[in-house]
Amino acid sequence: MNCGKFIVIEGLDGSGKGTQISLLAGELSRRKIPFQLTAEPTQYATGGLIRDALAGLTKRTPAEMAALFLADRTAHCENPVDGIGKLLSDGVNVICDRYYYSSLAYQGMDVGFEWLMPANLDCPAIIRPDLCVFLDVPTEVADGRIAAGRNSREIYETRDAIARVREKYFEVFGILPEGHKIKIIDASREPSAVAKDVWEAVWEVLG
Ligand code: TYD
């Protein structure tokens, strides 16, 4: 049986990830390529705990947040009904909105890489993506888009946090071990121009 490809879309809050994922889904549908969209935090119980913490409803320590994302990711990979591993082995391509690159960038601001990296990258249950597309926007663009689209901000959406997360993503991309395919795309342009580059990167992996 064919194995699907696992593609992750990453970016700052306000990078236009949602728009680009919709455009990518449209293109895959038009071409009748089998795919499933998914996201982290997930819709599982662990995802609910994380969302409460992101909204500031529950207070969690940085290590707890890192561990919750790790547990959520493990469930996401291993769920026997709709987990990433199951979809891939059924020949379905998986497009995931955020994955462990988010943990390394966001939780990496507060907890040490010395355990965060192996916990995510070396856990046998956690599947390595075939491609990570990083939608890059300057901090001011991300901040402006968040301000325009929301009434309240989550814990990682302050202007200061956004700038630090962007730096952290680039730090992570610089130290990842061999075997990670990262495509950085300038997402401050027109959505259609960004979508064209996203499609090119995805097609290279699917084709
Ligand atoms: P979400 O509501 O999905 O935001 P967005 O639509 O902008 O992606 O919330 C995801 C938030 O969780 C976002 O601020 C990034 C953060 N996050 C982490 O801190 N670590 C992780 O491992 C993941 C997957 C997300």
Side-chain angles (χ1 to χ4, degrees):
M1 193 179 300
N2 279 344
C3 199
K5 298 290 183 198
F6 179 19
I7 293 158
V8 169
I9 312 291
E10 290 274 356
L12 297 178
D13 301 283
S15 60
K17 246 177 336 95
T19 304
Q20 289 305 321
I21 289 173
S22 304
L23 292 170
L24 175 58
E27 190 64 33
L28 290 164
S29 298
R30 265 191 296 284
R31 293 173 184 250
K32 301 197 169 24
I33 296 171
F35 72 98
Q36 176 67 52
L37 296 183
T38 186
E40 292 190 2
T42 67
Q43 293 304 318
Y44 305 135
T46 35
L49 295 177
I50 291 170
R51 267 187 290 277
D52 283 350
L54 289 172
L57 300 176
T58 325
K59 196 118 188 65
R60 302 274 183 190
T61 67
E64 259 186 300
M65 287 304 282
L68 280 173
F69 278 112
L70 199 59
D72 196 40
R73 186 159 302 125
T74 309
H76 199 190
C77 286
E78 291 195 315
N79 188 290
V81 178
D82 58 0
I84 295 170
K86 166 83 168 83
L87 292 166
L88 295 174
S89 66
D90 286 348
V92 176
N93 299 295
V94 175
I95 312 295
C96 188
D97 180 346
R98 297 192 182 280
Y99 196 60
Y100 52 38
Y101 308 101
S102 282
S103 278
L104 300 179
Y106 287 76
Q107 281 62 61
M109 293 190 292
D110 302 311
V111 306
F113 276 160
E114 69 280 0
W115 74 266
L116 190 60
M117 277 209 149
N120 278 279
L121 303 184
D122 300 342
C123 172
I126 294 182
I127 302 166
R128 186 202 286 171
D130 295 292
L131 172 68
C132 165
V133 172
F134 179 70
L135 299 173
D136 186 34
V137 288
T139 306
E140 315 78 66
V141 173
D143 187 61
R145 286 181 185 167
I146 293 170
R150 317 259 175 87
N151 296 322
S152 63
R153 291 183 181 229
E154 291 182 337
I155 57 172
Y156 299 120
E157 292 179 342
T158 64
R159 184 180 267 252
D160 175 54
I162 296 166
R164 287 193 298 138
V165 171
R166 183 169 182 272
E167 270 177 33
K168 211 71 189 170
Y169 265 116
F170 282 102
E171 185 184 338
V172 167
F173 295 150
I175 58 175
L176 282 172
E178 290 242 325
H180 286 270
K181 191 173 163 67
I182 311 290
K183 179 75 188 177
I184 297 168
I185 290 176
D186 173 3
S188 60
R189 299 167 296 153
E190 279 294 301
S192 59
V194 178
K196 187 168 168 288
D197 287 358
V198 171
W199 177 252
E200 253 176 44
V202 169
W203 184 240
E204 202 178 297
V205 169
L206 294 183

